[in-house]
Every structure is written in structure tokens, then in C-alpha cells.
Amino acid sequence: ATKPAVIGIDDAIKQGSFHKGNKYMQQGYPLVKRGDVDSAWAKCASVVTGDVRTHGQCHFYMETQSVLVTPDEDGRVAIESASQGPTTVRKQVSVAINKPANKIRAGTRRCGGAFGGKISRNVPLATAVAVAAENIGLPVRSQLMRRQDMATTGGRHPT
């Protein structure tokens, strides 16, 4: 039976499609836990609500987040990502595709002038592309447009 495609967070919630971790889960990457949010808020000594504007600046790196994932016939995966943290990319891809880290090679050709913006913010894109490449058994590449990059990497971007 074919499962319906999970295209976004709304589809994942509707279908109960959540990552539950596996034996390759690395320490230091906690799983999300569910609970009673209203009860937790009720136990807080104080709750502050509203909007905050910092008027901070965000430096833009020249190249937006990008990644190429290439699976091979021996069950290994090669990842080329525009990331300052290829080890983090490797660990998280290992979890996402349920494959030991020694079967994954992660590298960066060059990455300069990113002001720290590419240390770990490439991980969501790299894991999504790795899942796609593993599922179809072919290389998959993705590069975000500037607006997508701003929306997905967080930071103090104007809204």
C-alpha cells in the first residue's frame, strides 16, 4: 500500500509522522517530548507574552544553504554541503536515514564569509535531501532561494 506523501508539517501532524529516534541517535540531540502545555504554563511563576524587536542585524552569506547527497551501490552516502559543521550534518543525516555514521561521508568544498550562519543551519536541508536520495537511490541536490533561506534558518530577520 502506498503511503500518502508528507509534504509539510501539517501533513506530518495529520498523519502522525514523527521521528522517533533510532540506535544511531547521538547524545546531545534530545528528542522532542510531548506534555500538557496548559498545565506547564500554570506552574510557571510568571508568563510574559507579546512581541520583542531587537533591531539587530543579520549578515547574509553569499551562497544560500545548499546540499548534494549521492548514495552509492555499497550503501554509503556522500554529502557535499555548504556547511561549517559537516560533522553535525553527518551525525544528523545518520539519524534521519537510519544508517551508521561510518557509512556517511560529509564534506564542504568551501564555505567562507558565513558569519557562523552555516555552522548547523544546513542540517534540516541536508537531512531532507538525504532522505529523498535514500528513498529514490539517486543523487539529489537542493539550494534554497534567499527568501526560503531566511525563513528556515531563523535569526533576527525582519518579519
Side-chain angles (χ1 to χ4, degrees), residues 27-105:
Q27 286 188 350
Y29 299 99
L31 293 175
V32 174
K33 296 182 181 178
R34 296 179 189 206
D36 183 355
V37 175
D38 294 327
S39 173
W41 283 123
K43 294 176 187 173
C44 293
S46 61
V47 176
V48 177
T49 62
D51 295 329
V52 175
R53 297 206 183 266
T54 63
H55 302 289
Q57 294 181 4
C58 184
H59 296 280
F60 288 105
Y61 29 82
M62 292 188 301
E63 179 190 19
T64 59
Q65 302 291 350
S66 63
V67 66
L68 167 66
V69 178
T70 307
D72 72 14
E73 64 274 3
D74 295 324
R76 295 177 301 215
V77 175
I79 304 166
E80 290 293 331
S81 66
S83 173
Q84 291 168 286
T87 301
T88 303
V89 168
R90 180 175 167 243
K91 285 179 182 179
Q92 290 305 295
V93 166
S94 170
V95 171
I97 64 174
N98 196 23
K99 188 173 288 225
N102 68 346
K103 296 280 187 183
I104 300 169
R105 181 181 55 79

